[in-house]
């Protein structure tokens, strides 16, 4: 079970009030990738398609970041394996809306 924490605006859009639990098969520590987790999230909540990644290219949107186990996964490729604590469900995959300003 992978837990995903979404920013408030995406929780509202998806109609959820807390963490989202994704039941993804994990045959080993590297069995579930960042891309697979995001695919499963978008499949479960189709309204989120295109909000975190460009639908055509699959690239991360500029003001969205992905974190797990205090590491920034935002620039990792879609086939990047999620950390073991995320796969066990003891740590969440965080989707964070980036802030800019000056």
């Amino acid at each position: 079970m992978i837990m995903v924490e979404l920013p408030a605006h995406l929780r509202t859009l998806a109609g959820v009030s807390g963490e989202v639990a994704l039941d993804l098969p994990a045959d080993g520590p590297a069995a579930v990738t960042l891309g697979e987790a995001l695919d499963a999230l978008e499949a479960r909540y189709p309204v989120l398609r295109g909000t975190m990644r460009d639908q055509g290219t699959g690239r991360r949107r500029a003001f969205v970041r992905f974190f797990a186990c205090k590491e920034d996964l935002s620039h990792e490729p879609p086939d990047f394996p999620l950390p073991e604590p995320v796969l066990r469900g003891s740590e969440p995959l965080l989707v964070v809306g980036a802030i800019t300003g000056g």
Side-chain angles (χ1 to χ4, degrees):
M1 186 76 59
I2 294 174
M3 304 305 293
V4 180
E5 288 186 18
L6 297 169
H9 67 287
L10 293 182
R11 284 194 313 267
T12 300
L13 189 61
V16 297
S17 59
E19 285 184 332
V20 174
L22 299 175
D23 191 14
L24 295 171
D27 299 328
V32 179
T33 66
L34 176 60
E36 290 169 335
L38 295 173
D39 289 344
L41 184 62
E42 291 173 342
R44 186 166 173 193
Y45 301 100
V47 70
L48 294 179
R49 287 188 186 132
T51 61
M52 297 173 287
R53 303 180 291 176
D54 180 270
Q55 285 185 295
T57 65
R59 290 186 178 155
R60 174 185 57 87
R61 294 274 181 204
F63 293 103
V64 175
R65 306 294 292 231
F66 307 119
F67 291 89
C69 302
K70 299 180 183 177
E71 292 183 38
D72 187 352
L73 307 180
S74 302
H75 299 289
E76 299 297 343
D79 62 351
F80 184 80
L82 291 174
E84 181 65 28
V86 174
L87 298 177
R88 287 193 316 261
S90 59
E91 291 286 331
L93 172 63
L94 302 171
V95 179
V96 178
I99 298 173
T100 163

